Amino acid sequence: MIEYGDLVYIWNPKKGDSYMVKVTRGASLGTHFAQIYHDELVKHDFGEGVWTEKGDLYYLLHPSLGDYTRHIRRQTQIIFPKDAGYIIQHLNLFSGCTCVECGTGSGSLCCTIAHFVGENGKVCTYDRRPEFSELARKNAERWGVSDRIEFNVRELSEGFKERDADAVYIDIPKPWEHIDKAYEALKAGCHLGVLVPTVNQITLTLEALEKFNFVDIRVCEIMLRDYKTDPRRIRPQDTMIGHTGYLIFAVKTLPLPKRPAGSGNDTETEQPEE
Amino acid sequence: MIEYGDLVYIWNPKKGDSYMVKVTRGASLGTHFAQIYHDELVKHDFGEGVWTEKGDLYYLLHPSLGDYTRHIRRQTQIIFPKDAGYIIQHLNLFSGCTCVECGTGSGSLCCTIAHFVGENGKVCTYDRRPEFSELARKNAERWGVSDRIEFNVRELSEGFKERDADAVYIDIPKPWEHIDKAYEALKAGCHLGVLVPTVNQITLTLEALEKFNFVDIRVCEIMLRDYKTDPRRIRPQDTMIGHTGYLIFAVKTLPLPKRPAGSGNDTETEQPEE
Amino acid sequence: MIEYGDLVYIWNPKKGDSYMVKVTRGASLGTHFAQIYHDELVKHDFGEGVWTEKGDLYYLLHPSLGDYTRHIRRQTQIIFPKDAGYIIQHLNLFSGCTCVECGTGSGSLCCTIAHFVGENGKVCTYDRRPEFSELARKNAERWGVSDRIEFNVRELSEGFKERDADAVYIDIPKPWEHIDKAYEALKAGCHLGVLVPTVNQITLTLEALEKFNFVDIRVCEIMLRDYKTDPRRIRPQDTMIGHTGYLIFAVKTLPLPKRPAGSGNDTETEQPEE
Amino acid sequence: MIEYGDLVYIWNPKKGDSYMVKVTRGASLGTHFAQIYHDELVKHDFGEGVWTEKGDLYYLLHPSLGDYTRHIRRQTQIIFPKDAGYIIQHLNLFSGCTCVECGTGSGSLCCTIAHFVGENGKVCTYDRRPEFSELARKNAERWGVSDRIEFNVRELSEGFKERDADAVYIDIPKPWEHIDKAYEALKAGCHLGVLVPTVNQITLTLEALEKFNFVDIRVCEIMLRDYKTDPRRIRPQDTMIGHTGYLIFAVKTLPLPKRPAGSGNDTETEQPEE
């Protein structure tokens, strides 16, 4: 049975619209089709369809992390699952690791990282705006991962407090001005992720990464295309998101030892051709 | 310092090519630029660049899960990070959960799911071909997650052994013939993922999902576009992967209770318009 | 100077919005920023910027065919320039050729084909709905190509009147039911184009093309991504059109002569592997 | 019947490969499946399938312009049909117009423009490298449009000879250095097209366009996705072209008259918001 405190994803087949509720004694949710009383929800099981008095139908489902992300309370642009899923695989994340993130924003990526680093993992997130830090904390509490997150309200110019972090991710307006801070906080051999919305920012970020000892630099973008689901008329949706951001990944290395005298020819340190 | 047993991602800046090694006493790796002796690797730290006698350079890095996936030993098509990242966010995965998967293949997605369900989570994977099961086990051991995976060699026609699984994912040639097995194994309110390469398979899978009590059905595809990383000449790579597969997600619901007599109008159970 | 009868593309820099007018004595155009009197337009030259009394600015430009297509008066879905441009290059169109088209719709593709077949070329277009035929005629007149177009109001079940057409293009709900009509109208060795919105229609159309002597069959889709144009913040637009249709092309061949006895091995007529 | 001088598109169903031949007395073509003698071709009609002695099959088809473009003899990157089709609709091209182009390259776009401006139209193309001009001339002759093209071997620093051209298209390494030349050659109110491969070039080009009186500036890219054509297994091809170039369009306007004193408020000349 659904219990107080459970997160329930309510899905209405008529319009395909959906709601996210944390079941709370005495609370209720206004939807376009009915008023839903939380005290009624605990009389049902996950997976049940419920008829309203007016004959509408809604289902009580477990939200996936992707569902939660899409329904997160936001005051900023969020990181969508298409990007978040790629990011978490290209940072050095594992159960028990420490990941440093800036800025916190509404906490969408923060929750996703915290979700996947496990009970013993830690996300140290930074934002200079206390109201975002607070919103993100609430979103993380709702998803049940706030105890793995340390919220810092701080200007990035002061640098991160962490050293030897397993991963660093930055999503700030001028990442190129703070690559030194990321370098400082990150463990050698580990991965930095950066998200930037414009191509101009890619250029400046790559130039900054080149100045520090970052290698294996990659830039990509991910396009998600949703399809209509009538089996007799399958086709992509008429409109799609055209752009969210460009993802940049790089790995921190230590200062290069001097090349042994007399070794090799003159061209071996040149950049890879593409 | 790097230790025996560590997984090291070796990256060569000249060509941008890379190697994945599990450091083993006495072993060595032939690369196009040098023979690399594992016993030398343990004299270095992660993040270091090493000069070869011929004057070539290589870096010793921590592999990200994405790096590992791309270097996995394979005998089948693998699930690429762009898709895997979306899948793991749209199944009901969390630390300690149980996820059922079929088919195992080379184990790429299996490793990714096992990575993110944590030490107390479990992946029950099925494949009818013992050689794939064996390959996947080795790949999972190498990544250090094999103890979270139960490898089953079994025809899907026999069904899954699990009931009330938190998530089910199937990637088989005719998923529509086995939606009943997925339904049986999955907990109500939880998420099923299906990957199919062709549009014809989408149609048949959607028809099968409609027959069972699956709701909130979604179909999508994800396109990854890599960019060249010269900051003075930023542009997408000349070629890209045109297609891997279509992702289908759906949530299991319980048989619908009878609609109360006299409630509402006649149209409320119709499918959502799009 | 602009003359009565000219087509003028009016572009307002403030919002980037635009209008298409055929300059007509005594007429006027209501825009969101000003009332524009056609009799004023003829006092200006193409390329001029004009200040309104309220201090707004608008430019008088020559419309490109693409601009015209986007502003066409429509009662149906139109063929967008991204698709039209690909279509006209993959049909056998040239100055003076004859192209058969069905259905006419609002006439957007009809105008584009008529534009490029030149004064001596001909488009024979069919639609069973007289109101669309009429609308398309007006749109073609406005663009100045109606004299190259023959508008037929006719069910496709009656077939096309033409034989040995240089090109045939069909955009109808069930193209697979009328491949025989297209075959009949088309000159041997020439190109057929088909547009279908759904993947299910691709399957059925390909099956029909296989039954007739069509070869060199291709299926594709074209995605257009518009970018924001602030040079300091270049990035794709936030949303884009996710889908218009799938394009199918094929070439009509004559019935295959019997293969000479004793020639070659047994496998040579099989379809190309992909 | 096929005649000497005809352009024939030879398509082999076995591998889907194809050849382009101008039928010439006494000539022959080596293919991977047979030697094809031109003197045999004139015994057949367009649309016929021909069996070789070894039992292979090939078809004699009319090439579409898109087929021709793909088979053009090249020493440079060519403009692919997906881009060419968009370009020709967004320049002010019509039967009898004059279009200025730089650089000529292998002549692929030049042929396409010449094809669509008709017998009375003209393409004035420029390239500083005589060998490309020569190659492009041969390609244009082969397609039968060389009499509509004026080939200029000339540095763009000298400017174009034309004034009041109906359309200008430039595809050169540093278009921003020559926007003045394009402005000079183009008729007011008419359209300029620019192709650049990198995002850095977009920035610089937009900045240059802003300095001149160009308006209605647009930037886009076009992605083509080919599909496999087995009706039972429809899916996109495994690989696709990831990038060719970014297309930029703008319209030349005349110097803006002074805004009437006392008119309107202060903000009306600001750039459109996006």
Side-chain angles (χ1 to χ4, degrees):
Chain A
M1 297 291 273
I2 290 170
E3 297 178 14
Y4 290 108
D6 281 349
L7 206 53
V8 180
Y9 182 65
I10 295 178
W11 187 76
N12 174 277
K14 209 164 171 183
K15 297 281 177 194
D17 59 354
S18 53
Y19 304 85
M20 187 75 60
V21 298
K22 187 123 191 173
V23 184
T24 308
R25 212 175 288 271
S28 82
L29 168 77
T31 74
H32 82 274
F33 58 91
Q35 193 72 13
I36 297 180
Y37 297 94
H38 290 209
D39 295 340
E40 288 299 312
L41 297 183
V42 297
K43 299 178 186 163
H44 294 280
D45 256 328
F46 278 103
E48 282 189 27
V50 181
W51 292 100
T52 68
E53 287 195 3
K54 286 192 184 160
D56 277 300
L57 177 64
Y58 61 90
Y59 288 97
L60 304 174
L61 311 175
H62 285 286
S64 72
L65 178 59
D67 296 329
Y68 185 69
T69 302
R70 267 184 288 263
H71 280 79
I72 213 166
R73 289 164 189 170
R74 66 183 78 171
Q75 291 171 15
T76 61
Q77 184 53 268
I78 63 162
I79 305 302
F80 283 96
K82 73 180 179 73
D83 297 315
Y86 203 77
I87 292 166
I88 59 173
Q89 288 173 96
H90 289 86
L91 299 179
N92 191 35
L93 296 187
F94 50 90
S95 294
C97 76
T98 296
C99 177
V100 169
E101 182 209 33
C102 181
T104 308
S106 303
S108 63
L109 186 66
C110 195
C111 284
T112 299
I113 296 176
H115 185 91
F116 285 121
V117 299
E119 297 87 347
N120 304 315
K122 201 164 82 173
V123 185
C124 304
T125 189
Y126 288 76
D127 208 301
R128 57 179 179 77
R129 301 153 299 184
E131 67 277 20
F132 288 160
S133 202
E134 202 41 48
L135 172 65
R137 183 195 303 276
K138 281 183 191 150
N139 279 326
E141 277 168 4
R142 209 164 134 86
W143 188 245
V145 293
S146 61
D147 52 338
R148 309 169 188 179
I149 307 175
E150 190 183 296
F151 293 91
N152 297 279
V153 177
R154 181 166 169 158
E155 292 283 344
L156 192 44
S157 55
E158 301 174 48
F160 295 110
K161 292 181 292 183
E162 290 73 25
R163 294 297 177 270
D164 283 328
D166 297 298
V168 173
Y169 172 82
I170 54 177
D171 175 3
I172 54 176
K174 299 186 177 179
W176 53 90
E177 294 184 352
H178 299 291
I179 296 298
D180 57 337
K181 313 295 187 308
Y183 187 86
E184 197 176 50
L186 190 58
K187 190 183 286 179
C190 284
H191 299 249
L192 168 67
V194 184
L195 182 143
V196 293
T198 74
V199 301
N200 314 62
Q201 292 167 305
I202 303 175
T203 304
L204 293 164
T205 302
L206 290 182
E207 283 170 354
L209 289 170
E210 275 188 357
K211 280 183 206 141
F212 284 83
N213 296 301
F214 280 100
V215 301
D216 195 13
I217 298 172
R218 303 180 204 177
V219 178
C220 70
E221 62 175 332
I222 292 173
M223 301 172 78
L224 170 68
R225 218 167 166 208
D226 285 308
Y227 279 68
K228 298 189 178 184
T229 57
D230 177 343
R232 290 157 298 280
R233 283 187 292 274
I234 294 173
R235 46 164 295 181
Q237 297 284 354
D238 299 300
T239 56
M240 62 183 274
I241 292 183
H243 184 65
T244 52
Y246 299 101
L247 304 179
I248 304 173
F249 297 100
V251 187
K252 168 179 172 174
T253 63
L254 297 166
L256 199 56
K258 224 188 137 193
R259 185 172 140 204
S263 74
N265 54 58
D266 285 324
T267 59
E268 57 275 83
T269 59
E270 62 184 22
Q271 285 304 303
E273 294 159 34
E274 284 173 288
Chain B
M1 297 292 274
I2 290 171
E3 296 178 13
Y4 290 108
D6 280 349
L7 206 52
V8 180
Y9 181 66
I10 294 178
W11 187 77
N12 175 278
K14 210 163 169 184
K15 297 281 178 196
D17 59 353
S18 53
Y19 304 85
M20 188 74 62
V21 298
K22 186 122 192 176
V23 185
T24 308
R25 211 175 289 270
S28 82
L29 168 77
T31 73
H32 82 273
F33 59 91
Q35 193 72 13
I36 297 179
Y37 298 94
H38 290 208
D39 296 342
E40 289 298 311
L41 296 183
V42 296
K43 299 177 187 162
H44 294 280
D45 256 328
F46 278 103
E48 282 188 26
V50 181
W51 292 101
T52 67
E53 287 194 4
K54 286 191 184 162
D56 277 301
L57 176 64
Y58 61 90
Y59 289 96
L60 305 174
L61 312 176
H62 285 286
S64 72
L65 178 60
D67 296 328
Y68 185 70
T69 302
R70 267 184 289 264
H71 280 80
I72 213 165
R73 289 164 188 170
R74 68 184 77 170
Q75 291 172 14
T76 59
Q77 184 54 268
I78 63 163
I79 304 303
F80 284 96
K82 72 179 178 75
D83 297 316
Y86 203 78
I87 292 166
I88 60 173
Q89 287 174 96
H90 289 87
L91 298 179
N92 191 33
L93 296 187
F94 51 89
S95 295
C97 76
T98 295
C99 177
V100 169
E101 183 209 34
C102 181
T104 309
S106 303
S108 64
L109 187 67
C110 195
C111 284
T112 299
I113 296 175
H115 185 91
F116 285 120
V117 299
E119 297 87 347
N120 304 316
K122 202 165 82 172
V123 185
C124 304
T125 188
Y126 289 76
D127 209 300
R128 56 179 181 78
R129 303 152 299 183
E131 67 278 21
F132 289 160
S133 203
E134 201 41 47
L135 172 65
R137 181 195 303 275
K138 280 182 190 152
N139 280 326
E141 278 169 2
R142 209 165 134 86
W143 188 245
V145 294
S146 62
D147 52 337
R148 310 170 188 178
I149 306 174
E150 190 184 295
F151 293 92
N152 297 279
V153 177
R154 181 166 167 156
E155 292 283 346
L156 192 44
S157 56
E158 301 174 49
F160 296 110
K161 292 181 293 185
E162 291 72 25
R163 295 296 178 269
D164 282 328
D166 297 299
V168 172
Y169 171 82
I170 55 176
D171 174 4
I172 54 175
K174 299 186 177 179
W176 54 90
E177 294 184 353
H178 299 291
I179 296 298
D180 57 336
K181 314 295 188 310
Y183 187 87
E184 195 176 52
L186 190 58
K187 189 184 288 181
C190 285
H191 300 250
L192 168 68
V194 183
L195 183 142
V196 293
T198 75
V199 301
N200 314 62
Q201 292 167 306
I202 302 175
T203 305
L204 294 163
T205 302
L206 291 181
E207 283 170 355
L209 289 170
E210 276 188 356
K211 280 182 207 144
F212 285 83
N213 297 300
F214 280 100
V215 301
D216 195 14
I217 297 171
R218 302 179 205 178
V219 178
C220 71
E221 63 175 333
I222 292 172
M223 301 173 78
L224 170 69
R225 216 163 167 213
D226 285 309
Y227 279 68
K228 298 189 178 184
T229 57
D230 177 344
R232 290 158 297 281
R233 284 187 291 275
I234 294 172
R235 45 164 295 180
Q237 296 285 355
D238 299 301
T239 56
M240 62 183 274
I241 292 182
H243 184 65
T244 52
Y246 299 100
L247 304 179
I248 304 173
F249 297 100
V251 187
K252 169 179 171 173
T253 63
L254 298 166
L256 200 55
K258 224 188 137 191
R259 186 173 140 202
S263 75
N265 55 58
D266 285 323
T267 59
E268 58 275 82
T269 59
E270 62 186 21
Q271 286 305 302
E273 294 159 34
E274 284 173 290
Chain C
M1 296 293 273
I2 289 171
E3 295 177 16
Y4 290 107
D6 281 349
L7 206 53
V8 181
Y9 181 65
I10 295 178
W11 187 77
N12 173 278
K14 209 163 170 184
K15 297 280 176 194
D17 58 353
S18 52
Y19 304 84
M20 187 75 60
V21 298
K22 187 122 191 176
V23 185
T24 308
R25 211 175 289 268
S28 82
L29 168 77
T31 73
H32 81 274
F33 58 91
Q35 193 72 12
I36 297 179
Y37 297 94
H38 290 208
D39 295 343
E40 289 299 311
L41 296 182
V42 296
K43 299 177 187 164
H44 294 280
D45 255 328
F46 278 103
E48 282 189 26
V50 181
W51 292 101
T52 67
E53 287 195 3
K54 286 192 185 163
D56 277 299
L57 177 64
Y58 60 90
Y59 289 96
L60 305 174
L61 311 175
H62 285 286
S64 72
L65 179 59
D67 296 329
Y68 185 70
T69 302
R70 267 185 288 265
H71 280 79
I72 212 165
R73 290 166 188 169
R74 66 183 78 170
Q75 290 172 15
T76 59
Q77 184 54 268
I78 63 163
I79 305 302
F80 284 96
K82 71 178 180 76
D83 297 316
Y86 203 77
I87 291 166
I88 60 173
Q89 288 174 95
H90 289 87
L91 299 179
N92 192 35
L93 296 187
F94 50 90
S95 295
C97 76
T98 295
C99 177
V100 169
E101 182 208 35
C102 181
T104 309
S106 303
S108 63
L109 186 67
C110 195
C111 284
T112 300
I113 296 176
H115 184 90
F116 286 121
V117 299
E119 297 87 349
N120 304 316
K122 201 165 83 172
V123 185
C124 304
T125 189
Y126 289 75
D127 208 299
R128 56 179 180 76
R129 301 152 300 184
E131 67 278 20
F132 289 160
S133 203
E134 201 41 47
L135 172 66
R137 182 195 302 275
K138 281 182 191 151
N139 280 326
E141 278 168 3
R142 207 163 135 87
W143 188 245
V145 294
S146 61
D147 52 337
R148 310 169 187 179
I149 306 174
E150 190 184 296
F151 294 92
N152 297 279
V153 177
R154 181 166 168 156
E155 292 283 345
L156 192 44
S157 56
E158 300 174 50
F160 295 110
K161 292 181 292 184
E162 291 72 25
R163 296 294 178 270
D164 282 328
D166 297 298
V168 173
Y169 171 82
I170 55 177
D171 174 4
I172 54 175
K174 298 187 177 179
W176 53 89
E177 294 185 353
H178 299 291
I179 296 299
D180 57 336
K181 314 294 187 310
Y183 187 87
E184 195 176 52
L186 191 58
K187 189 184 290 180
C190 286
H191 300 250
L192 167 68
V194 184
L195 182 143
V196 293
T198 75
V199 302
N200 313 63
Q201 291 168 305
I202 302 175
T203 304
L204 293 162
T205 302
L206 291 182
E207 282 170 354
L209 289 170
E210 275 189 356
K211 280 182 207 144
F212 285 83
N213 297 300
F214 281 100
V215 301
D216 195 14
I217 298 172
R218 302 178 205 178
V219 178
C220 70
E221 63 175 334
I222 291 172
M223 302 171 77
L224 170 69
R225 217 167 168 210
D226 284 309
Y227 279 68
K228 298 189 178 184
T229 57
D230 177 344
R232 289 157 299 279
R233 283 188 291 274
I234 294 172
R235 45 164 295 178
Q237 297 284 355
D238 299 300
T239 55
M240 62 182 275
I241 291 182
H243 184 66
T244 50
Y246 299 101
L247 304 179
I248 304 173
F249 297 99
V251 187
K252 168 178 172 173
T253 63
L254 298 165
L256 200 56
K258 224 189 137 191
R259 185 174 139 202
S263 75
N265 54 58
D266 285 324
T267 59
E268 58 275 80
T269 59
E270 63 185 23
Q271 285 306 302
E273 294 160 34
E274 285 174 286
Chain D
M1 295 292 274
I2 290 171
E3 295 178 14
Y4 290 106
D6 281 348
L7 206 54
V8 180
Y9 181 66
I10 295 178
W11 187 77
N12 174 278
K14 209 164 171 182
K15 296 280 176 194
D17 58 353
S18 53
Y19 304 85
M20 186 76 59
V21 298
K22 187 122 192 174
V23 185
T24 308
R25 210 174 289 271
S28 82
L29 168 77
T31 73
H32 82 275
F33 58 91
Q35 193 72 13
I36 297 179
Y37 298 94
H38 290 209
D39 296 341
E40 289 299 312
L41 297 183
V42 296
K43 299 178 186 161
H44 295 280
D45 256 328
F46 278 103
E48 282 189 28
V50 181
W51 291 101
T52 68
E53 287 194 4
K54 286 192 184 161
D56 278 299
L57 177 64
Y58 61 89
Y59 289 95
L60 304 173
L61 311 176
H62 284 285
S64 72
L65 178 59
D67 296 329
Y68 185 69
T69 302
R70 267 184 289 264
H71 280 79
I72 213 166
R73 290 165 189 170
R74 67 182 79 169
Q75 291 171 14
T76 60
Q77 185 53 268
I78 63 163
I79 304 302
F80 283 95
K82 72 180 178 77
D83 296 315
Y86 203 77
I87 292 166
I88 60 173
Q89 287 173 97
H90 289 87
L91 299 178
N92 191 34
L93 296 186
F94 51 90
S95 294
C97 75
T98 295
C99 177
V100 169
E101 182 208 34
C102 181
T104 309
S106 302
S108 63
L109 186 67
C110 195
C111 283
T112 299
I113 296 176
H115 185 91
F116 286 120
V117 299
E119 298 87 348
N120 303 316
K122 200 166 83 170
V123 184
C124 303
T125 189
Y126 289 75
D127 208 301
R128 56 180 179 77
R129 301 153 299 185
E131 67 277 20
F132 289 160
S133 202
E134 201 40 49
L135 173 65
R137 183 196 302 276
K138 280 183 190 151
N139 279 326
E141 277 169 3
R142 209 164 133 87
W143 188 245
V145 293
S146 60
D147 53 336
R148 308 168 190 181
I149 306 175
E150 190 184 295
F151 293 92
N152 297 280
V153 178
R154 181 165 169 158
E155 292 284 344
L156 192 43
S157 55
E158 301 175 47
F160 295 109
K161 292 181 291 183
E162 290 73 24
R163 295 295 177 271
D164 283 328
D166 297 298
V168 172
Y169 171 82
I170 55 177
D171 175 3
I172 54 176
K174 299 186 177 180
W176 53 90
E177 294 184 353
H178 299 290
I179 296 299
D180 57 336
K181 314 295 187 308
Y183 187 86
E184 197 176 50
L186 191 58
K187 189 184 288 179
C190 286
H191 299 249
L192 167 68
V194 184
L195 183 142
V196 293
T198 74
V199 301
N200 314 62
Q201 292 167 305
I202 302 175
T203 304
L204 293 163
T205 302
L206 291 182
E207 283 170 354
L209 290 170
E210 276 188 358
K211 281 183 207 141
F212 285 82
N213 297 300
F214 280 100
V215 301
D216 196 12
I217 298 172
R218 303 178 203 179
V219 178
C220 70
E221 62 175 333
I222 292 172
M223 302 171 78
L224 170 69
R225 215 164 169 212
D226 284 309
Y227 279 68
K228 298 189 177 184
T229 56
D230 177 344
R232 290 158 296 282
R233 282 188 292 275
I234 294 172
R235 46 164 296 181
Q237 296 284 354
D238 298 302
T239 55
M240 63 182 273
I241 292 181
H243 184 66
T244 52
Y246 299 100
L247 304 179
I248 304 173
F249 297 99
V251 187
K252 169 179 172 174
T253 63
L254 298 166
L256 200 55
K258 223 188 138 192
R259 187 173 138 203
S263 75
N265 54 58
D266 284 324
T267 60
E268 56 276 83
T269 59
E270 62 184 22
Q271 285 305 302
E273 295 160 33
E274 284 171 290

